Amino acid sequence: MNLHIEEELCCDVLVIGTEGTGARAALEAAEHGADVLAVTKGFMARSGATLTADGEIDVDSRSARNLFGVDGSPDDSPEQFARDMILEGDYLGDQRLVAIHTEEAPARVKELVDWGAQLEGFIQAPGHTYPRGLWIPGLKLARLLARRMVKRGISILENTMVLELLHDDDGVLGAVALHLPTGRLLLLRSRAIVMATGGAMRVFPLTTAPEELTGDGMAMALRCGAALQDMEFPMFLPYCFLTPPSLRGVIFPYDVSTLMEVHALNRNGERYMARWDPERMERTTRDINSVAAAMEIRAGRCSKAGGTYLSFKHLPRNLVDFSAEWFPGNLRNWRASGFNLRNFFLYIGEEAWEVAPASHFWNGGIRIDEHCATGVPGLFAAGEGTAGIHGANRLAGNALTMTQVWGKRAGLFASRFAKNKKLRKPPNVEVEHVVQTIARLKTESSGPTVIEVRREIRRIAGDLVGIIREEKKLQQALKAIADLRRDLARQHVVNQDPRFNREWVEGLQNENSLDVLEAIVRPSIARQESRGAMYRVDYPATDDDRWLCNLILRRKDDQWEMQEAPVNSIYLSLPTGTRRYGRKGESNRG
Amino acid sequence: MDNPKLISVQVRRGDKNESELVAYEVPLEDGQSVLGVLQYIYDHLDPSIGFTCSCRIGLCSSCLMRVNGKVVQSCTTLADGDMVIEPYKEDTLVRDLVTELPLISRASLSKPNI
Ligand SMILES: Cc1cc2nc3c(=O)[nH]c(=O)nc-3n(C[C@H](O)[C@H](O)[C@H](O)COP(=O)(O)OP(=O)(O)OC[C@H]3O[C@@H](n4cnc5c(N)ncnc54)[C@H](O)[C@@H]3O)c2cc1C
Ligand code: FES
């Protein structure tokens, strides 16, 4: 096939991703006079993680009280919120970024309310010293921002997958993208770029996250010279449906576990959490719940479908029935997202549900500074898939806050950068090089199919990386990834119809997912301890003397480089010594 | 499952100009969705089949289809027997089951604004 660029679009700021983060960045850049082009792989407000969010969005309790009249505590403050974030992130968060985050959060949520968002609740989730969780359902948030973008006249390109960034020594020049409905290649030229492409949860076999989240943005940024950080900490959510097949990954059982007294059981009927946190049991934090479940599964005490059981049979029937009435809005009446659970279970509470931890959020990602700059001139990044805000583990409700605080900042700094820059023409050879890589996928026929490659990526991620990690398996993973890399160059595509070709999309995603997977494995091998969302069964303790550092990855000439960087701890001093996994580290200053 | 039941799934394939019903035999797992059936066809029988989806949990509506004549979200609709799957809207059909979903206006492709 003779593949070439068929269309060229120019803008000041190219925003990749149009949901919580991307939309906020686009609005801000436009506000500062930039000509913005926002691109998304799916449909706007119909793709990405934002619209699937339950709705918790955090600000410190005092500001919530003062700004919105909710029953917040006057004793809370942005500083206290920052302290909780640093503790929950097991001290790996960049304290400079954390302070900005909690400082700017109230104004960002206030804006949303001014723009028409309704606050539908106010809760206190585990890990928060005070109630901080305001409630704006993700779908409503995504639609609100989308409407605002359209009203603002921002150019939006849907169903367009960005494939590679173009750059030279002076910075970014734009990107090459595939327009999915037509199969045409587009050259998107820009003065600055905001990467707002979300996480890579789809790398794992069981996930709560939507289709698009295959780590494209992290992989593209890495290949463009940016650094990735804290990639060993993908977050898992305990108690997601494992079966029946249509409910796989649905987080409702987890929601129930935060609202009612549930029992997590292994196949022997034992409440195994007693061995991990006898006091809080199933009410302990999400990371410990996930690790405990994964250990049961690993020890062969799994459920019929390979997970664990979640039971509320011990609760009286009328109590269970009543919960259908008082659960928060979108969870009421046994509605699990768009499903009605009564279609699946004859009587809710009679049977235990088969559940397992599912890949849910990306704590690490592209390394940024307080200006969302990546180190590559003109390349900015924000939102899920950037590192430093949440450290090794995220507080509930704090991702939506992240999209607004950091989306706005990225839009601001990218538009400022673009003002002083010329729109430069990408050299033909560079464009041609990218086009050739894509053309290879379209014509190659000797290797495994893209579907087989995707399965192998998920097998490696699930069986050899997963939640419970160990040196031996991680080394096997590295080897399997190296083997797969050879196959990747020969991925076979059966269908060549250019219109909405799923195989092309998957083949291109596979390249990104494999880079991301390797970026998890390398620091996971290096970090010989357990911390936050990462558990090493061969190094189960948390070692603050040796491992209070961020692991930073770069790729140069197809080689990986890993570096240890000291944690930025300008506000709260770092703990010392070693401690049991799950026990909070003590800071003595701040 | 030991011997899963086989169901017959007919999918309307093609575009605005020309289309036909193509039949597939799919093993039916208990509790599988219509979207899951399409994913099975794509993964195991025919990777050329075109369909869109995102959240897979009934929130985004990018998986709208006409199943046995009724427009539904295919991810939350259970597959319980033989079925006919068609695009939910003919006038904005791109290919097979893929239609443009005009929730909000979008920039046209030919709008270079330097
Ligand atoms: C089920 C679920 C429930 C959640 N509940 C909550 C909650 O209650 N509170 C909370 O704070 N957080 C919650 N989260 C997390 C939160 O929703 C996300 O972290 C956050 O919305 C991410 O926003 P984002 O804009 O950074 O990325 P996303 O919303 O994921 O958007 C990514 C965008 O990038 C686009 N994209 C990706 N790759 C490409 C490419 N190659 N080319 C072009 N475009 C591309 C996608 O199409 C999409 O538009 C939840 C997550 C899930 C999955
Ligand atoms: S895939 Fe989102 S509603 Fe079906």
Side-chain angles (χ1 to χ4, degrees):
Chain A
M1 174 178 276
N2 183 14
L3 204 62
H4 56 276
I5 300 283
E6 297 192 44
E7 198 104 34
E8 193 174 306
L9 289 170
C10 299
C11 61
D12 295 333
V13 178
L14 173 66
V15 178
I16 310 177
T18 55
E19 301 311 301
T21 307
R24 191 63 191 83
L27 286 169
E28 192 64 18
E31 193 62 36
H32 293 273
D35 186 5
V36 178
L37 176 62
V39 191
T40 173
K41 189 159 47 161
F43 294 98
M44 184 162 71
R46 289 194 174 192
S47 64
T50 302
L51 73 89
T52 69
D54 289 337
E56 192 185 346
I57 180 164
D58 295 335
V59 304
D60 71 274
S61 211
R62 186 177 65 203
S63 301
R65 183 191 172 92
N66 293 344
L67 288 172
F68 310 114
V70 293
D71 190 19
S73 166
D75 300 333
D76 198 12
S77 62
E79 294 73 37
Q80 179 60 44
F81 182 10
R83 216 188 150 91
D84 287 355
M85 279 179 71
I86 294 162
L87 245 72
E88 185 74 14
D90 232 343
Y91 292 89
L92 287 197
D94 181 328
Q95 297 189 7
R96 199 179 28 156
L97 304 188
V98 172
I100 292 171
H101 179 95
T102 61
E103 195 61 51
E104 295 188 359
R108 293 294 79 76
V109 176
K110 175 75 170 51
E111 250 157 27
L112 292 175
V113 171
D114 291 344
W115 294 346
Q118 303 270 342
L119 298 176
E120 299 186 10
F122 186 56
I123 64 159
Q124 177 171 7
H128 289 281
T129 308
Y130 298 99
R132 300 195 180 109
L134 295 159
W135 202 272
I136 306 173
L139 191 57
K140 293 187 180 167
L141 175 64
R143 288 187 177 160
L144 176 84
L145 293 168
R147 273 197 303 274
R148 220 177 152 79
M149 281 171 77
V150 172
K151 216 160 105 196
R152 194 77 184 62
I154 292 170
S155 303
I156 297 150
L157 210 49
E158 295 179 293
N159 290 307
T160 301
M161 177 179 180
V162 176
L163 308 178
E164 205 70 279
L165 304 182
L166 299 166
H167 67 111
D168 63 14
D169 291 344
D170 295 327
V172 296
L173 304 162
V176 174
L178 179 68
H179 183 243
L180 304 181
T182 55
R184 292 152 98 196
L185 280 186
L186 314 177
L187 177 61
L188 311 175
R189 294 173 54 195
S190 71
R191 296 171 163 89
I193 295 177
V194 174
M195 196 59 93
T197 42
M201 286 67 77
R202 283 272 157 188
V203 167
F204 288 97
L206 186 69
T207 170
T208 63
E211 288 278 296
E212 302 77 28
L213 303 177
T214 46
D216 302 354
M218 289 183 260
M220 284 190 275
L222 181 72
R223 293 195 293 262
C224 180
L228 300 183
Q229 175 185 317
D230 301 336
M231 290 295 282
E232 64 273 39
F233 300 105
M235 189 193 128
F236 291 82
L237 200 72
Y239 314 137
C240 298
F241 274 117
L242 187 58
T243 185
S246 51
L247 289 182
R248 273 176 69 84
V250 169
I251 70 176
F252 190 79
Y254 165 75
D255 289 328
V256 174
S257 79
T258 65
L259 297 163
M260 295 203 307
E261 189 84 25
V262 297
H263 289 171
L265 307 173
N266 61 21
R267 68 162 62 168
N268 308 115
E270 181 199 5
R271 278 180 83 187
Y272 56 85
M273 286 311 295
R275 281 185 264 120
W276 292 83
D277 192 339
E279 242 168 70
R280 290 183 292 175
M281 300 292 287
E282 292 84 359
R283 297 278 186 136
T284 188
T285 48
R286 321 195 257 198
D287 46 350
I288 298 171
N289 267 316
S290 295
V291 167
M295 286 296 274
E296 290 306 307
I297 295 166
R298 184 187 139 100
R301 293 187 289 269
C302 57
S303 73
K304 191 168 182 192
T308 57
Y309 295 101
L310 199 74
S311 164
F312 30 112
K313 180 89 197 244
H314 57 286
L315 301 173
R317 188 168 179 154
N318 55 337
L319 185 153
V320 174
D321 283 347
F322 180 43
S323 62
E325 292 174 39
W326 64 262
F327 274 7
N330 35 358
L331 308 177
R332 212 162 285 166
N333 271 323
W334 305 105
R335 302 282 320 175
S337 306
F339 295 95
N340 184 350
L341 292 187
R342 293 191 207 272
N343 295 339
F344 295 87
F345 307 101
L346 221 48
Y347 164 60
I348 312 260
E350 187 64 31
E351 299 170 48
W353 290 338
E354 288 195 59
V355 294
S359 173
H360 181 61
F361 180 78
W362 221 258
N363 288 308
I366 303 169
R367 181 173 165 88
I368 54 168
D369 65 13
E370 65 269 41
H371 302 117
C372 299
T374 61
V376 177
L379 179 61
F380 298 81
E384 192 171 345
T386 60
I389 320 287
H390 304 296
N393 198 21
R394 158 168 88 74
L395 280 168
N398 215 4
L400 289 182
T401 305
M402 178 195 210
T403 64
Q404 298 309 292
V405 169
W406 296 92
K408 174 184 158 116
R409 292 181 71 85
L412 171 68
F413 296 117
S415 63
R416 274 196 198 153
F417 180 94
K419 272 207 179 100
N420 307 315
K421 283 283 173 270
K422 275 216 167 62
L423 196 64
R424 295 178 300 131
K425 190 150 182 63
N428 281 337
V429 283
E430 170 129 6
V431 178
E432 194 46 34
H433 176 73
V434 172
V435 170
Q436 282 323 311
T437 322
I438 301 159
R440 188 182 67 196
L441 179 74
K442 293 191 172 189
T443 51
E444 224 14 276
S445 65
S446 57
T449 66
V450 294
I451 296 165
E452 286 162 347
V453 172
R454 179 239 296 154
R455 275 206 204 107
E456 176 64 2
I457 289 174
R458 291 193 184 159
R459 184 194 68 85
I460 299 168
D463 294 355
L464 303 176
V465 184
I467 303 172
I468 308 294
R469 301 192 200 140
E470 61 186 306
E471 167 96 26
K472 194 177 79 202
K473 286 198 174 176
L474 289 168
Q475 293 293 357
Q476 288 169 9
L478 262 195
K479 174 154 186 317
I481 290 169
D483 292 345
L484 199 54
R485 240 179 230 292
R486 277 190 293 279
D487 285 340
L488 207 57
R490 309 181 291 124
Q491 281 188 102
H492 176 39
V493 165
V494 178
N495 172 33
Q496 293 296 353
D497 190 323
R499 298 165 302 169
F500 262 103
N501 189 314
R502 283 186 86 79
E503 284 180 282
W504 288 0
V505 172
E506 282 217 67
L508 295 160
Q509 287 177 167
N510 284 343
E511 312 217 354
N512 296 326
S513 292
L514 199 64
D515 278 349
V516 167
L517 185 57
E518 187 157 355
I520 305 170
V521 173
R522 290 184 174 273
S524 297
I525 293 174
R527 185 176 284 281
Q528 297 183 333
E529 65 153 359
S530 297
R531 177 183 300 275
M534 180 184 125
Y535 190 78
R536 281 280 303 258
V537 71
D538 43 357
Y539 296 95
T542 304
D543 184 349
D544 292 320
D545 290 335
R546 171 66 186 90
W547 288 111
L548 267 180
C549 59
N550 300 112
L551 294 178
I552 292 168
L553 289 163
R554 284 197 174 74
R555 258 196 114 169
K556 283 204 182 113
D557 308 322
D558 277 348
Q559 295 295 315
W560 293 83
E561 284 177 12
M562 189 163 39
Q563 216 185 318
E564 286 178 26
V567 177
N568 181 314
S569 57
I570 45 176
Y571 298 109
L572 209 61
S573 72
L574 302 176
T576 52
T578 58
R579 54 194 154 104
R580 228 184 98 188
Y581 174 71
R583 182 161 300 161
K584 291 276 173 263
E586 301 273 330
S587 167
N588 36 30
R589 168 171 63 84
Chain B
M1 234 178 300
D2 312 281
N3 255 328
K5 180 175 140 194
L6 287 179
I7 55 170
S8 152
V9 180
Q10 297 188 64
V11 182
R12 184 161 297 282
R13 305 279 315 264
D15 52 32
K16 266 184 260 186
N17 304 324
E18 207 180 358
S19 71
E20 56 173 344
L21 284 174
V22 179
Y24 302 94
E25 272 211 332
V26 179
L28 182 64
E29 260 185 278
D30 228 13
Q32 184 58 283
S33 63
V34 173
L35 182 62
V37 166
L38 285 171
Q39 182 77 41
Y40 182 93
I41 294 173
Y42 169 75
D43 276 0
H44 299 278
L45 305 175
D46 185 352
S48 72
I49 190 167
F51 61 98
T52 53
C53 60
S54 174
C55 71
R56 290 178 182 263
I57 54 174
L59 293 175
C60 73
S61 301
S62 52
C63 68
L64 282 178
M65 288 162 205
R66 193 179 294 277
V67 180
N68 294 333
K70 207 171 139 205
V71 176
V72 293
Q73 286 179 343
S74 55
C75 64
T76 52
T77 303
L78 289 183
D80 49 11
D82 296 350
M83 60 182 134
V84 179
I85 310 178
E86 294 168 294
Y88 94 101
K89 227 168 164 235
E90 292 289 340
D91 53 341
T92 51
L93 184 64
V94 179
R95 181 172 79 82
D96 293 355
L97 302 169
V98 182
T99 51
E100 299 266 8
L101 295 167
L103 174 72
I104 37 179
S105 66
R106 54 182 65 81
S108 84
L109 247 188
S110 50
K111 190 194 160 202
N113 36 6
I114 310 183

